[in-house]
Amino acid sequence: MSAKKFKTTSGIEIKEVYTGPSGMDELPGEFPFTRGIQKDMYRGKPWTMRQYAGFSTAEESNKRYHYLLSQGTMGLSVAFDLPTQIGYDSDHELADGEVGKVGVAIDSLQDIEILFDGIELKNITTSMTINATAPILLAMYIALAKKQGADLKQLSGTVQNDILKEYAARGTYIYPPEASMRLITDVFEYCSKEVPKWNTISISGYHIREAGSTAVQELAFTLANGKAYLQAAIDKGLDINIFAKRLSFFFNCHNNFFEEIAKFRAARRMWAHITKELGATDPAAQKLRFHTQTGGSTLTAQQPMNNIVRVSNQALAAVLGGTQSLHTNGYDEAISLPTEAAAKIALRTQQIIAFESGVTDTVDPLAGSYFIEALTDEVEKAALVYMDKIDAMGGSVKAIEQDYMQQEIARSAYTYQNEIESGEKVLVGVNRFTQPEDTDVKAFRVDDSIRKKQSEKITALKSVRNNETVKTCLQQLGDAAKGKQNLMPLILNAVENYATLGEIADTLRAVFGEY
């Protein structure tokens, strides 16, 4: 029991947790964690308030990070541009038109050094939304931490590293599934020994939902992918009681307030049973920890200020659902990258919920609601039907190879769009309560000269680094990729000698091929 007293504005004392006559005797912090993974949840400390940022060059993104930290952001979340996500340097012909557009361009350790200039990695947690090239970006982050003198055993953060949802919903994959799964489990194994507090994967339902899935499909497909990662690591000989503690999830929070809360509660319960069935006996390895981002696809370019209300609604649902960290979208993100003003309002939204609303004063405040409890059960039941089908196919990898998940998501997206166009589903400002276009929102645009600047940086880097050493590092990595050894130490060695992201990815392409 927390020593601090929590009271309403009328002076009524608020208990840490409530149980009711409904027969609900489960407590927060206890298996199967439906009510939350910590006994006291936000009474102990609030969720981590992250703001997703990254655009243009490392220099420009660094300025935004310092701004967000000065405004009270508790953790950074890095967005990478498309060339970085699919393993191409900024000077590659396929990078033309995309450098710095949807995230920051990172070509080498030099860019990471600039990105976090003036920021001590030991003092923050960093989430990196990167998948196919996750081992390379993680190696760069570790290399910088070493240069800063940080204790790697205490370094904390998350790398998304979830390739299965890329095949199913998003598309920024490079290598075939088997090779990709090897890289992911190499990260599991390496970090369990060298960077034990790092979350080695953030199994993402977010992009599945953004592609058009329902809440139930997001839950089912995400947990099915999670099962596949668990099994791959077990098959590699890793101990589930160790590596499963560092797995985390990344969910979307959409507009249907109660369904989203039920989804989060069902997710914890389902994952607890999945891990237990696969041999996890340590409660810490059975707990589903998750980050939430408000729904990007719910934002509208029409009447964009309405998005502030949408984001507030979604953020509150995520908090009531028990999220461990949260990113709130800027109201202008349907138009452009978020401006500083929009990013600040998004952060203030979280701070108002945390410190003014009172919803954090007790754990799982909606527990015992007839509707919430019934809906949690119904969401779980519907998700298990999907998961049983995927298991019958041989698991997520087989289901993806058979296009099962992709077809189900496409069908749901088509239905949703038809409902909007017919008016059956109301979107305020879009198909009802419309008005002439609002042109007051100033869009944030990235300068197209970024590619030239990044390319010049790469050329300058190659002129001063030891190219013979780089060649040797890449040769060693390629040789190791043909065998079975863990590739993370070799990737780290290449990174520390300033091999570029594209050079490392190309070395692995030469061995693994492209998918």
Side-chain angles (χ1 to χ4, degrees):
M1 180 76 69
S2 171
K4 180 182 175 183
K5 298 287 186 183
F6 291 80
K7 296 181 179 180
T8 69
T9 54
S10 303
I12 300 166
E13 187 169 341
I14 300 169
K15 297 179 189 177
E16 181 170 276
V17 66
Y18 289 80
T19 56
S22 61
M24 229 196 100
D25 54 3
E26 184 189 318
L27 293 172
E30 295 181 4
F31 185 92
F33 313 106
T34 312
R35 303 194 62 188
I37 62 170
Q38 287 115 12
K39 179 178 177 291
D40 61 351
M41 287 301 288
Y42 308 132
R43 283 169 68 113
K45 65 175 183 177
W47 61 93
T48 300
M49 298 178 194
R50 296 191 187 279
Q51 284 308 106
Y52 189 47
F55 56 89
S56 183
T57 61
E59 290 88 346
E60 290 300 314
S61 293
N62 176 260
K63 292 175 188 174
R64 178 67 66 88
Y65 291 159
H66 280 284
Y67 171 77
L68 289 170
L69 289 168
S70 75
Q71 295 299 310
T73 286
M74 298 151 64
L76 298 177
S77 190
V78 187
F80 299 94
D81 72 358
L82 283 173
T84 302
Q85 292 180 46
I86 54 177
Y88 293 120
D89 288 334
S90 296
D91 59 359
H92 194 285
E93 61 182 1
L94 292 178
D96 190 21
E98 292 295 342
V99 177
K101 290 295 176 70
V102 298
V104 62
I106 299 294
D107 294 311
S108 72
L109 174 57
Q110 182 184 67
D111 285 322
I112 288 288
E113 291 166 351
I114 296 167
L115 185 66
F116 293 103
D117 184 42
I119 299 170
E120 290 288 331
L121 301 189
K122 67 182 180 182
N123 295 331
I124 61 166
T125 65
T126 303
S127 175
M128 295 190 281
T129 305
I130 196 74
N131 297 286
T133 53
I136 305 171
L137 270 298
L138 177 57
M140 290 180 183
Y141 194 85
I142 292 169
L144 176 58
K146 287 171 67 177
K147 291 186 76 169
Q148 289 185 352
D151 179 359
L152 296 187
K153 301 291 184 188
Q154 300 303 316
L155 197 66
S156 65
T158 304
V159 66
Q160 192 163 101
N161 202 26
D162 174 11
I163 206 66
L164 291 179
K165 68 96 174 45
E166 296 296 330
Y167 299 117
R170 191 160 173 270
T172 65
Y173 46 77
I174 302 173
Y175 317 111
E178 187 177 344
S180 295
M181 293 295 277
R182 174 190 172 179
L183 288 170
I184 286 167
T185 54
D186 278 358
V187 170
F188 289 179
E189 183 179 47
Y190 177 83
C191 288
S192 69
K193 297 169 185 173
E194 305 297 333
V195 199
K197 289 192 173 181
W198 193 267
N199 297 321
T200 51
I201 192 169
S202 178
I203 304 159
S204 175
Y206 185 85
H207 302 97
I208 290 170
R209 191 64 174 280
E210 290 292 284
S213 80
T214 65
V216 165
Q217 288 171 338
E218 178 193 359
L219 176 59
F221 298 165
T222 305
L223 295 191
N225 288 346
K227 278 179 71 174
Y229 293 127
L230 288 177
Q231 193 60 58
I234 291 167
D235 293 345
K236 195 181 179 81
L238 304 183
D239 183 349
I240 191 171
N241 282 313
I242 296 175
F243 76 81
K245 293 176 185 176
R246 303 275 35 116
L247 272 59
S248 65
F249 287 80
F250 174 24
F251 287 115
N252 198 306
C253 200
H254 228 258
N255 284 333
N256 192 302
F257 189 74
F258 292 112
E259 183 179 44
E260 295 302 304
I261 295 167
K263 178 185 76 180
F264 298 135
R265 298 175 90 249
R268 278 192 294 272
R269 184 159 71 200
M270 293 170 71
W271 187 247
H273 287 292
I274 288 167
T275 51
K276 188 174 183 180
E277 287 165 10
L278 287 173
T281 54
D282 186 336
Q286 299 167 341
K287 293 179 179 180
L288 182 145
R289 298 167 299 119
F290 69 100
H291 169 72
T292 308
Q293 181 174 341
T294 56
S297 62
T298 69
L299 303 179
T300 64
Q302 300 91 334
Q303 300 179 29
M305 299 304 283
N306 293 347
N307 294 328
I308 296 174
V309 182
R310 292 186 179 101
V311 169
S312 301
N313 180 65
Q314 294 161 11
L316 181 59
V319 170
L320 291 172
T323 192
Q324 277 60 67
S325 73
L326 177 61
H327 163 78
T328 31
N329 290 328
Y331 64 81
D332 53 2
E333 288 188 54
I335 299 166
S336 70
L337 290 167
T339 57
E340 274 196 2
K344 182 166 73 173
I345 289 173
L347 177 60
R348 293 288 182 259
T349 300
Q350 296 198 47
Q351 292 165 336
I352 289 168
I353 292 171
F355 301 112
E356 294 187 19
S357 71
V359 298
T360 61
D361 290 348
T362 188
V363 182
D364 195 20
L366 294 183
S369 154
Y370 295 133
F371 180 43
I372 284 291
E373 297 300 343
L375 192 56
T376 301
D377 291 345
E378 289 297 322
V379 167
E380 178 181 18
K381 182 180 175 183
L384 286 171
V385 171
Y386 277 112
M387 293 185 75
D388 288 344
K389 288 180 183 177
I390 291 168
D391 284 343
M393 293 178 190
S396 272
V397 175
K398 295 294 184 187
I400 288 166
E401 288 174 348
Q402 294 174 43
D403 266 1
Y404 171 69
M405 292 186 193
Q406 298 93 312
Q407 289 176 9
E408 289 296 311
I409 294 168
R411 190 175 296 116
S412 295
Y414 179 73
T415 300
Y416 181 81
Q417 188 61 35
N418 279 345
E419 288 173 348
I420 291 172
E421 290 179 7
S422 69
E424 182 181 345
K425 188 175 291 293
V426 175
L427 275 187
V428 174
V430 176
N431 62 4
R432 199 181 297 183
F433 314 113
T434 58
Q435 64 184 40
E437 285 299 304
D438 183 350
T439 57
D440 291 340
V441 174
K442 184 179 178 182
F444 179 77
R445 301 294 181 203
V446 172
D447 191 334
D448 281 325
S449 67
I450 297 304
R451 183 173 185 243
K452 184 173 182 290
K453 293 176 183 175
Q454 283 298 114
S455 299
E456 288 170 353
K457 251 200 273 185
I458 294 169
T459 300
L461 174 67
K462 289 179 178 179
S463 73
V464 297
R465 72 184 186 182
N466 188 324
N467 287 301
E468 280 304 312
T469 301
V470 170
K471 184 178 178 181
T472 300
C473 291
L474 296 174
Q475 181 66 51
Q476 290 171 342
L477 174 61
D479 290 343
K482 295 171 187 172
K484 299 290 185 184
Q485 77 183 88
N486 192 305
L487 299 180
M488 272 301 293
L490 294 148
I491 293 172
L492 180 59
N493 188 39
V495 159
E496 289 181 317
N497 284 286
Y498 293 90
T500 68
L501 173 131
E503 289 172 332
I504 295 169
D506 282 346
T507 299
L508 297 176
R509 278 187 181 94
V511 178
F512 298 146
E514 289 189 277
Y515 185 69

